[in-house]
Amino acid sequence: MPRVSLVVIAYEMARELPRTLLSLSPPYQETDADDYEIIVIDNGSRIPPRQQDFIHLKANIRLLSCSTQSPSPVAAINEGLKHARGSLIGVWIDGARMASPGLLRACTEAAALHPRPVIATLNYQLGPDLQRISTAHGYDQTTEDELLSSIAWPQHGYRLFEIATAEIRGGPLGAMLESNAIFLPRALWDELGGYDEAFQEPGGGVANPDTFVRAVALPGTQLIRVLGEGTFHQIHGGLSTSTQERAIEMLKEGSRAYLRLRGKPLVPVRARGWTFDSRTRAVER
Amino acid sequence: MNDPSKLDPPFLKEWMANYVCGVLGLDRAAFSTADRFDTYGLDSVEAVIMAGVMEEEFQVIVDPHRFFETPSIDEFTAAFTAPAA
């Protein structure tokens, strides 16, 4: 039985998903394949990913298709959570996000620090600026491929930080709207009820921030930010990263939907929480 | 509706001050609506979220760019509620 499950949602990511899964594979993460499983839920791609395309990764990967059809990934995530067998589960709402090489081990170690941990990894976007901005200056998939080649990825996984931009503008301890690789123990996912399927907008709207905010608000939970690791978004025409105007409109609409649903404004998590630095194994409480 | 000129500027100013103080955990009594948004740490993400909340509350369209063009509550409310030229 795997100790950790990773739930990765994919939709039309023929270019991006192979890199993401490579970044989650045992050699890259320097972990034992038996320790964890990767559950990929395809959310309706015209050409779904195939198991045989990932055999070379020597990872415990299960490829499944979401049983319902929706432009929102939320139902797919909840299906993934049902299939997950690990006692610690990490969710990738966006399968276009590659991981740094020690992310899995760091999250596992961070989870052991508290009985009710909410493990938040930091979001980065490949390229010289946030992709919604850099696309206006010519950043595209070709540029991104060249950038990855320039750092000899995947041989040098941590060099991803050299070619990426942090999403949190206030630094790693700043206000945090979401984490795109969020880890909770199985029991906390159950207590949370998974992702809220009321978020039916394309891309899920603000379902991911909502999940993060609700998890941190659960009684007795402890937010732990993992430093020195991250997830790195590959450009793929996603709703919040393709253009500045689209990103603003999506967040504004998400804010309205959240207010209607929750009866209060969406407020990023400002609590610093604990930090776990994967480079030094240092914990700051 | 989408006619911001029908909004009462003092009411909108007070609403925004309370919103910002609530979100950022600031003391309303010590907060000045003349201060720039960035001086008290309202970042661009929170500004866009506030725009969405204002649209829902007041049934007006709020372009978040206006928070940067008129970067204080005083400046924003004056410009936003001014009758269209």
Side-chain angles (χ1 to χ4, degrees):
Chain A
M1 187 75 81
R3 288 189 302 151
V4 179
S5 298
L6 307 179
V7 174
V8 178
I9 307 305
Y11 172 69
E12 303 292 9
M13 292 174 180
R15 168 181 171 270
E16 296 80 17
L17 186 64
R19 285 190 185 128
T20 298
L21 294 183
L22 192 159
S23 79
L24 297 175
S25 66
Y28 185 93
Q29 289 291 329
E30 296 183 353
T31 49
D32 189 333
D34 294 332
D35 277 352
Y36 68 104
E37 62 180 353
I38 304 169
I39 300 168
V40 178
I41 308 282
D42 182 71
N43 198 30
S45 302
R46 283 165 295 177
I47 303 173
R50 302 176 309 169
Q51 191 83 36
Q52 59 263 38
D53 293 336
F54 304 107
I55 289 172
H56 66 285
L57 296 177
K58 303 189 187 321
N60 183 5
I61 296 176
R62 279 191 283 164
L63 283 176
L64 304 169
S65 293
C66 186
S67 62
T68 58
Q69 288 197 331
S70 168
S72 168
V74 168
I77 293 171
N78 286 342
E79 275 195 33
L81 290 172
K82 282 180 193 149
H83 286 287
R85 295 172 297 168
S87 55
L88 180 68
I89 305 171
V91 169
W92 265 244
I93 191 171
D94 184 347
R97 285 188 173 268
M98 304 149 69
S100 55
L103 186 138
L104 187 52
R105 187 176 57 180
C107 290
T108 307
E109 289 183 31
L113 297 171
H114 193 275
R116 289 167 64 80
V118 175
I119 314 296
T121 60
L122 302 180
N123 300 340
Y124 295 81
Q125 295 182 12
L126 292 174
D129 207 334
L130 294 176
Q131 289 169 353
R132 64 175 187 258
I133 297 167
S134 60
T135 50
H137 304 289
Y139 186 80
D140 58 14
Q141 294 179 332
T142 303
T143 319
E144 190 166 272
D145 292 344
E146 289 166 1
L147 264 183
L148 287 165
S149 294
S150 75
I151 60 162
W153 190 88
Q155 284 78 26
H156 302 289
Y158 282 109
R159 292 192 66 194
L160 285 170
F161 286 99
E162 297 173 19
I163 60 164
T165 303
E167 286 185 21
I168 299 187
R169 308 313 269 173
L173 304 182
M176 198 170 186
L177 186 62
E178 63 181 329
S179 170
N180 281 308
I182 180 171
F183 285 73
L184 272 63
R186 160 102 258 165
L188 277 185
W189 281 116
D190 291 344
E191 200 174 318
L192 202 61
Y195 279 61
D196 189 336
E197 297 192 14
F199 291 99
Q200 282 302 310
E201 302 93 329
V206 294
N208 207 46
D210 171 71
T211 303
F212 181 48
V213 168
R214 287 191 298 119
V216 171
L218 281 176
T221 55
Q222 177 60 56
L223 169 64
I224 305 175
R225 301 186 192 217
V226 172
L227 310 182
E229 305 290 344
T231 62
F232 298 82
H233 187 262
Q234 304 167 72
I235 193 160
H236 64 101
L239 292 171
S240 62
T241 50
S242 52
T243 68
Q244 177 84 320
E245 293 311 313
R246 209 169 166 195
I248 287 173
E249 204 49 43
M250 186 196 160
L251 180 58
K252 197 168 72 168
E253 282 306 312
S255 166
R256 296 183 63 163
Y258 184 93
L259 181 64
R260 290 194 296 269
L261 188 65
R262 299 280 177 244
K264 60 183 180 181
L266 173 62
V267 179
V269 173
R270 291 190 163 265
R272 176 189 175 281
W274 294 358
T275 59
F276 175 79
D277 193 323
S278 78
R279 296 159 292 197
T280 59
R281 325 320 282 177
V283 180
E284 286 196 19
R285 298 168 198 254
Chain B
M1 157 181 165
N2 195 28
D3 185 356
S5 69
K6 291 189 176 160
L7 293 173
D8 177 42
F11 177 80
L12 180 59
K13 197 182 287 190
E14 191 58 24
W15 184 94
M16 289 181 73
N18 285 328
Y19 178 91
V20 167
C21 288
V23 167
L24 302 182
L26 304 175
D27 177 6
R28 176 67 187 93
F31 178 83
S32 169
T33 54
D35 289 343
R36 291 173 57 97
F37 294 120
D38 55 1
T39 59
Y40 42 80
L42 189 80
D43 66 21
S44 58
V45 167
E46 286 161 325
V48 175
I49 292 172
M50 180 166 72
V53 174
M54 290 173 68
E55 288 191 351
E56 202 65 20
E57 290 281 337
F58 301 117
Q59 301 301 302
V60 291
I61 294 170
V62 180
D63 178 355
H65 292 108
R66 297 191 73 164
F67 296 133
F68 303 98
E69 293 160 0
T70 50
S72 72
I73 290 176
D74 286 350
E75 290 175 83
F76 174 83
T77 52
F80 190 64
T81 59

